[in-house]
Structures are given as structure tokens and as C-alpha cells.
Amino acid sequence: MEIIKTIRPGHDGSKRYQEKYGEQLCAVRYRRSPCKKTVYTTVEIIVAQREAYVQKRPQPTTQTIHENDWVAIKIAFEEIELRNEVRRMGGRWSRVAKAWVAKRSVAKRMDIEHRIVEGLIDQCLDVDI
């Protein structure tokens, strides 16, 4: 659909939606249907908030490596047995980083240390560790 007009909160045309949605309102938009026979009014609202992810650039590691540190491990989708083994050893899947999260000692025990992606653990915000 083609956007005809966008109105910010507080401006004319958005006040009744501002009353309804309050601080959650981001914008009011008027859209025209592809057949150009109908005009729709849509609202953009905030439904959730969290702290922003700040991407860190990889830096040379000067800190010591500990066996109990959590690490991100890349395992291909087709490697079902390996994924199941990591899961059995306490590993968890991170949807955000698309990697398995486990302790470094688990990767060492399974002999998959070469699959550890250093620094990727910082993106695994959806996994409780």
C-alpha cells in the first residue's frame, strides 16, 4: 500500500489517537490501497521496549580463558547428532546469534573448540546464562 501522509504525535490529525494510545503512539499514517479505491488510517505504536544492543568490535583478547566461561558455538542445522549432544551437555540455542551457547569446558570435552566463535556470546542476549 502506498503511504499518502505520515503524521507525528501531537500534530493535527493524530490528537484523537494520542488520547487513545498516549505515549505509545509513534505515528499515524494514511495509506491508499493498490486499487486506489480505499484509504486506510493506520497507527504505529510501541508494544515493548528493552535496552538497545550495542555491537562491539572484536578486540584482541588480553583476558585469560576460563573453562567455566560461556561461549557461542556454531553448529550447522544438518548436524542433528552434534546439536543433540550439545543440548544433553547443557547447551542452549540462541535465536538472536543463531548459535549454541555452552560452557567452554563442554566444547573442549566434545572436541569442538574449533567451532567456538569468540565474542559472539555478547550477542546471545536471549539466553539466560
Side-chain angles (χ1 to χ4, degrees):
M1 287 189 277
E2 173 190 4
I3 297 175
I4 302 169
K5 188 173 189 177
T6 299
I7 302 171
R8 299 290 166 210
H11 292 101
D12 290 339
S14 71
K15 292 183 181 173
R16 70 175 151 168
Y17 300 106
Q18 182 80 38
E19 291 172 7
K20 184 173 182 177
Y21 297 105
E23 294 296 314
Q24 292 178 298
L25 182 68
C26 293
V28 176
R29 291 197 176 87
Y30 294 97
R31 299 173 183 261
R32 183 176 292 134
S33 68
C35 63
K36 304 207 185 263
K37 291 184 178 179
T38 309
V39 174
Y40 298 98
T41 303
T42 63
V43 293
E44 181 180 335
I45 60 170
I46 298 169
V47 295
Q49 74 181 43
R50 61 179 172 78
E51 288 196 28
Y53 166 72
V54 179
Q55 187 172 8
K56 297 179 182 177
R57 296 193 181 246
Q59 297 178 0
T61 56
T62 56
Q63 48 187 271
T64 57
I65 295 176
H66 299 287
E67 295 294 310
N68 287 332
D69 286 347
W70 288 89
V71 293
I73 305 167
K74 284 290 187 174
I75 300 174
F77 180 76
E78 300 81 29
E79 298 176 290
I80 297 169
E81 290 180 25
L82 187 57
R83 289 188 294 136
N84 288 337
E85 184 63 24
V86 170
R87 185 182 293 121
R88 276 193 290 276
M89 300 287 276
R92 301 175 191 141
W93 174 248
S94 171
R95 286 184 180 173
V96 174
K98 296 195 179 357
W100 284 90
V101 176
K103 293 199 175 189
R104 188 177 298 274
S105 59
V106 169
K108 187 174 184 178
R109 209 172 320 138
M110 294 178 63
D111 197 29
I112 56 172
E113 286 180 290
H114 61 282
R115 294 174 179 255
I116 294 174
V117 181
E118 298 294 344
L120 186 60
I121 192 69
D122 296 332
Q123 294 181 23
C124 301
L125 302 175
D126 59 328
V127 177
D128 293 329
I129 53 174

